[in-house]
Amino acid sequence: MAARREPSDVIAIIGGGVCGLAIGWRLAQAGRAVTVFERGEAGLGATWAAAGMLAPQVEAEPSEEPLLSLALESRAMWPDFARELEEASGISIDYRTEGTIVVAHDRDDVERLRFQYDFQRQLGLDLEWIPGSEARRREPHLARSVTAAVFSPLDHQVDNRKLARALSAAFTGAGGELREHTEVLEILADGDHVTGVRFAAQRLGRRSLAADAVVLAAGVWSRDIGGLPQALRPPVRPVKGQMLAVQMPPGAPLLSHVVWGPAIYLVPRSDGRLLVGATVEEKGFDTTLTAGGVLDLLREAWETLPGIYDLPLVETWVGLRPGSRDDAPILGATDLGGLIMATGHHRNGILLAPLTGRAIADLLIGGATPESIAPFSLARFAPKSGAAAKPAPSASRLEPVAER
Ligand code: FAD
Ligand code: GLY
């Protein structure tokens, strides 16, 4: 365990995505001197590419129960988080609560959906099995081929792009420093504790900032930051997602709920855009939009919602989900004193933002790992036996960071 150090109040956060900004906002609110380093513009990484679904229930999969409890805890925080953020930033983030409908067309789909529904109900989730006719009553533009559906009233959505803008405004409004176009080149350490970061900024050139804690929230780029010891490189990889948007008629949206088809989801925005997502591809850092990707999305979307056929296609994009080895986030202290992980949020970074912000800020302020994130430390990936195995840092305490 790292030796005790004098508490200080300087925190550097690497990455101005939803995770870095949410953590920064909570720390700035608590009076800490916190700088978010963003090599481009804040909120334009995976955060910008997402669909903004807050959907732990319909995304719950067997063997992911620990992730589900984290996600449910974060979802419960969303209504207050949204209200507080809108007040603090003056920016509406379009948090919508109509809920989510998952539809099935043919016999295969229905069997699969029934299996998933039974599993999710066993976990105590609030879901309703409805016939196709009832799904169409709730969403009249759904295809006639929809024969059964599951309604999830508590799986909501938010406009993730507005969310990022609001978080940036709330963070700087609370006194945080946002350094855009500033790339962190290296995490600095004096052996057993971080001492700051070295960065490159336009016009300023290469500089460093002394800091007592460094939060690694660089999304899919988290493992490539200089100065990270090999054993502390988080096992995060890019999981490519292609998406597109069509424009619904003004004042006559085709959908009001988020709708999942067998291989796509449809997310209606209040400005009339309808998002169609997303592919899930293992292609490294490739961000090419492909004909096949768009074809699959459009075909599947059309089968569920035939009315999209005549709508103008207004945007296509590609994002990289920061996937970890077990698809759950990597959160908390590490064996290097003052180095905190907040990465690997994969398909759930928007959903997990309120919890990530609160838990990592609490860890930095109070010094103890909040119980909810203890199972998600980097240490879970350490070799299980042999000399290289290390104790879980979640059991250790961090030095508290003093009030400014
Ligand atoms: P990012 O948003 O990628 O931010 C990391 C930032 O770090 C970037 O801005 C980058 O420029 C910066 N950075 C990197 N290296 C450096 C450096 N050296 N110095 C300074 N800055 C650096 N999640 C949901 O909850 N719901 C959804 O519906 C959903 N849909 C998705 C759909 C798609 C197609 C994709 C791709 C993702 C989706 N996600 C969704 C996942 C979600 O987008 C991510 O989990 C989340 O945005 C991760 O946030 P982040 O802050 O960790 O990463
Ligand atoms: N959570 C939706 C996605 O990652 O595509």
Side-chain angles (χ1 to χ4, degrees), residues 49-53 55 59 239 241-243 260 265 277-280 321 346-349:
M53 294 177 294
E59 296 211 42
V239 181
Q242 303 189 44
M243 284 190 63
W260 283 63
Y265 49 75
T279 65
V280 179
R321 305 172 183 87
H346 196 221
R347 299 175 67 105
N348 295 303

Side-chain angles (χ1 to χ4, degrees), residues 5-372:
R5 296 174 66 91
E6 283 306 302
S8 179
D9 61 354
V10 183
I11 301 159
I13 298 178
I14 309 174
V18 70
C19 294
L21 291 171
I23 297 163
W25 180 38
R26 290 310 189 195
L27 288 168
Q29 274 183 322
R32 271 53 187 186
V34 50
T35 302
V36 169
F37 290 90
E38 168 52 54
R39 67 176 176 191
E41 283 174 36
L44 294 189
T47 297
W48 180 86
M53 294 177 294
L54 312 172
Q57 300 202 153
V58 302
E59 296 211 42
E61 290 189 9
S63 85
E64 289 189 350
E65 286 84 348
L67 174 59
L68 175 66
S69 30
L70 192 75
L72 290 175
E73 192 178 334
S74 195
R75 187 187 65 184
M77 296 167 84
W78 255 102
D80 287 346
F81 179 82
R83 211 171 304 122
E84 189 187 347
L85 182 59
E86 287 186 339
E87 262 172 41
S89 65
I91 295 171
S92 159
I93 58 172
D94 206 9
Y95 173 62
R96 290 180 55 170
T97 58
E98 290 91 337
T100 297
I101 298 177
V102 186
V103 303
H105 297 265
D106 58 19
R107 173 90 191 269
D108 276 0
D109 298 342
V110 175
E111 291 293 324
R112 216 172 9 248
L113 187 60
R114 174 62 77 176
F115 175 81
Q116 210 179 322
Y117 170 78
D118 289 343
F119 164 71
Q120 291 164 346
R121 289 284 298 163
Q122 261 175 33
L123 297 173
L125 300 180
D126 178 5
L127 297 165
E128 183 190 1
W129 184 270
I130 54 177
S133 53
E134 175 58 18
R136 270 190 301 280
R137 193 189 63 74
R138 297 181 192 191
E139 285 295 358
H141 294 280
L142 286 177
R144 296 209 62 75
S145 57
V146 168
T147 51
V150 167
F151 174 54
S152 178
L154 299 177
D155 281 343
H156 299 159
Q157 63 141 314
V158 68
D159 185 324
N160 41 289
R161 296 180 185 177
K162 291 181 178 166
L163 170 68
R165 282 199 289 279
L167 279 170
S168 294
F171 169 61
T172 52
E177 186 179 1
L178 177 59
R179 291 196 181 197
E180 295 185 305
H181 305 290
T182 305
E183 179 172 9
V184 171
L185 304 171
E186 190 181 355
I187 296 169
L188 305 170
D190 68 359
D192 63 359
H193 202 284
V194 298
T195 55
V197 292
R198 196 164 64 84
F199 58 89
Q202 280 174 354
R203 288 194 295 276
L204 289 175
R206 293 180 176 213
R207 298 272 177 94
S208 56
L209 175 83
D212 300 277
V214 175
V215 180
L216 183 53
V220 79
W221 300 276
S222 294
R223 63 183 303 153
D224 300 325
I225 311 287
L228 266 179
Q230 187 60 33
L232 299 186
R233 290 189 182 277
V236 175
R237 70 184 196 290
V239 181
K240 177 177 174 180
Q242 303 189 44
M243 284 190 63
L244 57 89
V246 292
Q247 186 69 39
M248 297 184 287
L254 260 53
L255 290 179
S256 57
H257 300 82
V258 172
V259 169
W260 283 63
I264 43 101
Y265 49 75
L266 300 155
V267 183
R269 290 284 199 245
S270 300
D271 63 3
R273 279 154 41 95
L274 178 66
L275 314 190
V276 182
T279 65
V280 179
E281 302 169 67
E282 299 283 350
K283 297 269 171 61
F285 283 90
D286 168 49
T287 52
T288 316
L289 186 82
T290 65
V294 173
L295 176 69
D296 287 349
L297 292 174
L298 283 174
R299 188 183 46 226
E300 296 280 343
W302 172 73
E303 278 173 9
T304 291
L305 194 70
I308 67 157
Y309 194 86
D310 290 318
L311 300 184
L313 180 60
V314 289
E315 193 186 346
T316 52
W317 67 96
V318 179
L320 299 174
R321 305 172 183 87
S324 79
R325 221 178 275 155
D326 60 6
D327 290 345
I330 303 170
L331 298 167
T334 66
D335 285 346
L336 179 61
L339 176 65
I340 310 298
M341 296 281 158
T343 186
H345 288 68
H346 196 221
R347 299 175 67 105
N348 295 303
I350 308 300
L351 167 63
L352 293 173
L355 183 132
T356 300
R358 180 80 282 154
I360 299 295
D362 285 353
L363 168 63
L364 281 160
I365 294 164
T369 298
E371 217 174 289
S372 57

